[in-house]
Amino acid sequence: MRPAYLTAARALQLGREAALLGNHRVATQEYQDALDLLRTLPPERTRDTLLAHAHLAMYQTLAPARTLALDDRDEAQEHLHLGISYARSTRDPLARAIAEECLSGLDVVM
């Protein structure tokens, strides 16, 4: 299972790099690759922590786009919801900090 975690972490890293360069299409594809892989693994803390980071990264990439269609906005909100849920359950400090940052512009408290 460790190679799967490394592969997912690498996809997450590549997604973040692409997002920083403004290539949102590549970023979302990398995040989706990580999510698809992680969902095939049995539940455990490492998987759930990576899921929190991947969902929150996907939200951060999708949410700022002002031209999002309604379905895309719903998708972004779903990633936020799942990311917060995983961040809470794993108690990963970095995931929780990212979740709180995502919520800072919303009228919601973690």
Side-chain angles (χ1 to χ4, degrees), residues 48-77:
D48 292 351
T49 300
L50 287 169
L51 279 168
H53 285 275
H55 280 295
L56 293 168
M58 183 73 91
Y59 170 76
Q60 289 176 316
T61 301
L62 292 174
R66 297 216 178 346
T67 60
L68 282 180
L70 186 56
D71 288 343
D72 292 335
R73 278 185 255 153
D74 290 344
E75 179 186 354
Q77 291 300 312

Side-chain angles (χ1 to χ4, degrees), residues 28-57:
T28 57
Q29 185 57 55
E30 291 291 344
Y31 298 145
Q32 193 60 55
D33 290 348
L35 289 168
D36 292 343
L37 176 58
L38 291 166
R39 288 179 184 138
T40 67
L41 302 174
E44 72 133 341
R45 189 172 193 275
T46 302
R47 179 202 81 142
D48 292 351
T49 300
L50 287 169
L51 279 168
H53 285 275
H55 280 295
L56 293 168

